[in-house]
Amino acid sequence: MFRNGARRDHDSGPAPEALRLVKVTKSYGTADSAVTALDGVTLGLARGTFTAVMGPSGSGKSTLLQCAAGLDRPDSGIVRVDGTELTGGGETELTKFRRGRIGFVFQQYNLLETLTVAQNTVLPLKLSGRRVDRRRAREILTAVGLGDRLGHRPDQLSGGQRQRVAIARALVTEPRVIFADEPTGALDTRSAREVLRLLQEAVRVHGRTVVMVTHDPVAASYADSVLFLADGRLAGQLDAPTADAVAERLAHLGDDTMAGV
């Protein structure tokens, strides 16, 4: 069973912290070929915040997101989302929790090509057996600028429009936390800005918590704060980031001056 003292139900109030990791470790491979992706990571993110996670290739940022979102299990440590511990539960229970309280936005959109915009948006509700409120779905799609595209299929949309469908799909379940993995990586500059503003709106207007993995300092500048990873460990934090400050910090991640930050 999931644990938090008394287990939370979906309709209960949100926890003070949206995300808490305690000494989370994850390795891949065996014996001499093992690679440590996360090395005892501990962090906490408050509700209603937008956090970017950055680091060099192989730093563990995607593994951090996967473990935090319950898509992968850490070797050791504790992961709590909205006050509920994900580590230790069964797969069926974990899947139900993800569908109810976690939203996802991926670089490649993950839309079903045979479904319309409206159908893709409400798919998480159908999969979780929840009532489909089509009026609410239309409102969300209108809010992300797709109110006139409800009957279109993904191959009739631009990359930016597809990612807006993905954001609408993430919002429709009213999740506590939205995890975004390189959400602007496949987009042009204008579309990327639109998507980042929508993620900001999810936080500031709808009160969601967004955790975004990105390699782009400009994308990271839209967040409230940036967490830096290096070699599977936290290597610093930057609040109220600017693109230049993020780029400067990234350039010096390996310096001895960053140790213990």
Side-chain angles (χ1 to χ4, degrees):
M1 292 289 290
F2 292 130
R3 297 187 296 275
N4 65 335
R7 181 178 170 177
R8 288 181 177 273
D9 293 321
H10 180 71
D11 293 331
S12 63
E17 281 188 324
L19 179 67
R20 164 66 62 177
L21 273 63
V22 181
K23 296 182 179 179
V24 170
T25 299
K26 179 69 178 180
S27 296
Y28 297 100
T30 56
D32 294 340
S33 63
V35 175
T36 300
L38 296 177
D39 188 4
V41 172
T42 294
L43 62 86
L45 300 180
R47 289 189 290 115
T49 56
F50 186 175
T51 303
V53 180
M54 303 193 77
S57 178
S59 62
K61 54 187 183 294
S62 290
T63 301
L64 175 66
L65 184 144
Q66 296 276 322
C67 289
L71 296 173
D72 200 357
R73 291 179 182 271
D75 298 329
S76 62
I78 296 171
V79 176
R80 291 193 183 96
V81 174
D82 192 38
T84 297
E85 185 178 334
L86 303 191
T87 38
E91 192 58 40
T92 300
E93 203 171 14
L94 182 57
T95 298
K96 182 179 179 181
F97 180 88
R98 285 198 304 261
R99 287 174 177 171
R101 247 180 289 180
I102 296 175
F104 298 99
V105 181
F106 299 99
Q107 180 175 343
Q108 296 303 326
Y109 325 125
N110 285 13
L111 303 179
L112 294 182
E113 296 294 333
T114 58
L115 299 184
T116 66
V117 166
Q119 290 168 336
N120 267 291
T121 300
V122 301
L123 186 60
L125 296 173
K126 289 192 171 185
L127 290 174
S128 60
R130 294 165 61 183
R131 184 178 70 87
V132 175
D133 185 341
R134 300 190 185 282
R135 181 185 61 81
R136 170 67 177 152
R138 284 196 300 271
E139 289 177 353
I140 293 174
L141 285 166
T142 298
V144 301
L146 294 173
D148 58 347
R149 298 286 194 274
L150 302 183
H152 286 58
R153 300 189 189 279
D155 63 1
Q156 298 173 297
L157 304 176
S158 68
Q161 288 172 329
R162 291 187 185 198
Q163 196 61 294
R164 281 185 271 162
V165 177
I167 291 174
R169 181 184 58 192
L171 288 171
V172 75
T173 60
E174 299 187 350
R176 301 280 201 244
V177 185
I178 295 173
F179 291 98
D181 191 0
E182 299 282 6
T184 62
L187 303 180
D188 60 65
T189 301
R190 178 180 176 182
S191 296
R193 285 199 303 264
E194 292 173 351
V195 164
L196 290 163
R197 282 195 289 266
L198 287 171
L199 291 174
Q200 282 184 326
E201 187 174 296
V203 174
R204 295 170 183 173
V205 176
H206 302 288
R208 309 304 173 201
T209 301
V210 173
V211 182
M212 176 182 70
V213 166
T214 183
H215 69 279
D216 181 4
V218 174
S221 71
Y222 282 74
D224 302 318
S225 63
V226 182
L227 295 178
F228 296 94
L229 285 179
D231 298 321
R233 299 178 180 179
L234 287 179
Q237 178 174 334
L238 183 63
D239 296 325
T242 64
D244 288 343
V246 171
E248 176 71 13
R249 185 69 67 94
L250 279 173
H252 295 92
L253 266 187
D255 291 358
D256 291 337
T257 54
M258 285 295 296
V261 176

